[in-house]
Structures are given as C-alpha cells and as structure tokens.
Amino acid sequence: MLTYLLFGYSDKMISDNHWTYFDFNASQKPQAIQTEEVDFQLALNSTLAKIFEQNNGIDNTKGDLNFERENFQIMSLTSLYEGENNSLLFQKELFISKENYNYYGGLINRYATNNFLLGVNSFIDKQKEEGVASIGSEFVYANFFKSYANYYIHKEMKNSLQFGLNFALPDNQSIIFDIYQDDAKNNYQFSYKPYKAFSFNLLHKTFDHEDEMIFRIGFSFDFNENFFKQLKTTDDILEGIERYNFFEKNR
C-alpha cells in the first residue's frame, strides 16, 4: 500500500493568504491481468484442421482429448475426387486409451442428387487384439428413408453382418421407425416427437435370446431459447446421411 501526503496551493489559497493541508490516502493495487478462458476443444480442432485439411470447404477433422477417461480420438475426412454428383472420400480414425487402441482407414464413394444418395465404402480396421476388414453400403431418399448395411470380415472370429433401416412417414415426419440387426442383437424402435422439446420412444430389444421392452418419455429444453417456441410442433427429425458426413462405424 502506498500512501501519499500532498500539499497544495491554489489561486483561492492566495486570496485567503494561507496554506491548506490536504491528506490524500490512496491505495494502489497491481493491475489485474485479464484472463480469457481457453476453449481447449476449439483450439484442438483448429490445430488438427491446419494439419489434415485442405482449403476446399469439404475436408473435415475433429478430435477429442478426454483427460478424465484418459483417451484421445481423432477423425479426419478428406476429399480425393469431386464430380458434379459424386464424391470419393478418405476417412480415417485413431483412438488411444490406456488399455486399448484402434485405428482404421477407408474409402467412401457417394453419389447424390436432389432426393437420393447412394454410397459404398470399404474399411480396414486394426484393433489391439485383431484386424477387421469391412464393406458396406448406404442409401437415402429425401428426408423419409435411410438404410445401411455393413459386412465385417474377421481374421479369428466369425464374420458378421450389420443392417439398419430408418424411415419416417411422408405426411408426418415427427414419427420415426428404426430397425437395427446384427449377429448379436435386434432392435425395433418407434419414436414420436410432436414438439421440439418433447418425445416418446418405444424400444424392443433382443440380445442373447432375451427380450426387453422399454418405454421412454424425453424432455429437451434449451434455456437460451424462448420456452414457448420450443413447444411448437416439429418435423423432419430423421437424421439423413449427407454427402460430406462422416461415415458412422458401429463396432
């Protein structure tokens, strides 16, 4: 703390013909350093984008460094060829944790028009314990129908087939039906989302020859948005496959 004792003299003091004593006690504190909260996830993705992406508006890279779970994941999508209606893409992923690691790379070829998308893909996976090759396909019609199929070729395990189907009613896209099947389980799901913030979900699961029926009621509110706007009806909740989306691998 710095204390100042000041003596002053002014025109008014001259007219009064005497000195005036001023006691000025001021505390000076070190100027606070302005700190900015660093968005680590944004900084990580920005750095990865500079390394893996070309400036073409198509390439996409995302990463995740989870300190709590002690793992790291990076996914990258690169355009190899662009035609008027078709794209050849190269997708790769690296996942590292304390107990395991997994990396894969593969080609995705998609043909898209205004209402249709047809894609084929082939991947090579390498996990800690085994390697897997896969071939697959995906098909989308507008916002009403989506399907995909993947065939996994294992070195030591039995080969497996995976199939998924999602479709919405053309007149009411807030109603969605999902079917998922592979060698281990079958899922049949009915979803109804009449409002943006409110949904019903009925799921029938079969796993290891055991059946299970699940009914859920979901709520989803955005506190930064007007509450009453979120009670309006919603359409188009089917998440379709876009031309430049990452291919979602289910392992």
Side-chain angles (χ1 to χ4, degrees):
M1 177 180 292
L2 300 178
T3 302
Y4 295 88
L5 297 178
L6 302 179
F7 292 89
Y9 197 75
S10 67
D11 293 339
K12 187 177 185 300
M13 299 171 194
I14 296 176
S15 61
D16 294 339
N17 196 23
H18 69 274
W19 288 86
T20 303
Y21 170 78
F22 295 93
D23 186 0
F24 177 68
N25 191 337
S27 298
Q28 287 191 343
K29 298 180 180 179
Q31 184 176 1
I33 300 175
Q34 293 184 350
T35 59
E36 244 180 69
E37 185 178 350
V38 178
D39 190 332
F40 185 79
Q41 186 65 49
L42 182 62
L44 175 62
N45 287 336
S46 177
T47 302
L48 294 175
K50 292 179 181 179
I51 298 174
F52 293 101
E53 296 180 16
Q54 304 177 33
N55 190 20
N56 54 17
I58 298 173
D59 295 357
N60 192 8
T61 307
K62 59 182 181 181
D64 181 54
L65 181 58
N66 193 315
F67 293 101
E68 183 179 354
R69 297 184 178 180
E70 298 182 346
N71 61 45
F72 172 71
Q73 181 184 28
I74 176 175
M75 294 179 63
S76 178
L77 188 69
T78 305
S79 172
L80 300 180
Y81 171 79
E82 288 298 316
E84 181 178 356
N85 296 105
N86 65 302
S87 301
L88 180 62
L89 308 168
F90 176 51
Q91 179 174 318
K92 51 192 175 294
E93 177 186 349
L94 171 65
F95 176 84
I96 302 175
S97 66
K98 291 181 63 176
E99 296 83 14
N100 196 12
Y101 69 86
N102 176 77
Y103 63 87
Y104 71 75
L107 296 175
I108 306 169
N109 185 247
R110 287 177 175 146
Y111 178 85
T113 63
N114 292 333
N115 295 320
F116 292 92
L117 183 145
L118 177 64
V120 293
N121 61 78
S122 178
F123 283 88
I124 300 293
D125 296 48
K126 176 57 181 175
Q127 301 179 18
K128 184 177 180 179
E129 298 179 354
E130 66 164 338
V132 181
S134 66
I135 55 175
S137 64
E138 48 192 1
F139 176 75
V140 176
Y141 171 66
N143 295 320
F144 307 121
F145 181 83
K146 177 179 69 174
S147 67
Y148 60 91
N150 298 301
Y151 185 70
Y152 294 91
I153 305 169
H154 301 263
K155 287 185 177 180
E156 300 180 0
M157 300 171 57
K158 182 182 177 182
N159 296 343
S160 59
L161 176 65
Q162 179 187 83
F163 173 79
L165 175 66
N166 314 89
F167 59 94
L169 299 180
D171 297 330
N172 191 343
Q173 296 181 44
S174 61
I175 299 177
I176 303 293
F177 297 93
D178 300 284
I179 299 172
Y180 172 86
Q181 292 183 329
D182 62 21
D183 292 349
K185 58 183 176 295
N186 299 325
N187 292 347
Y188 304 94
Q189 182 170 261
F190 167 81
S191 301
Y192 177 49
K193 191 173 183 179
Y195 302 102
K196 187 175 181 180
F198 186 65
S199 64
F200 297 94
N201 184 272
L202 182 63
L203 172 65
H204 179 268
K205 301 173 63 175
T206 302
F207 183 74
D208 287 340
H209 306 290
E210 294 186 5
D211 290 343
E212 183 179 8
M213 185 73 73
I214 302 172
F215 178 74
R216 302 187 185 101
I217 300 177
F219 300 90
S220 177
F221 294 100
D222 186 348
F223 293 102
N224 296 319
E225 188 177 346
N226 184 287
F227 174 78
F228 294 101
K229 288 183 178 179
Q230 299 179 65
L231 296 180
K232 292 185 178 180
T233 57
T234 182
D235 289 322
D236 190 19
I237 64 172
L238 177 65
E239 296 181 0
I241 301 170
E242 302 294 339
R243 182 168 173 174
Y244 301 114
N245 279 6
F246 281 97
F247 177 74
E248 299 293 338
K249 291 178 63 63
N250 295 314
R251 292 183 295 273

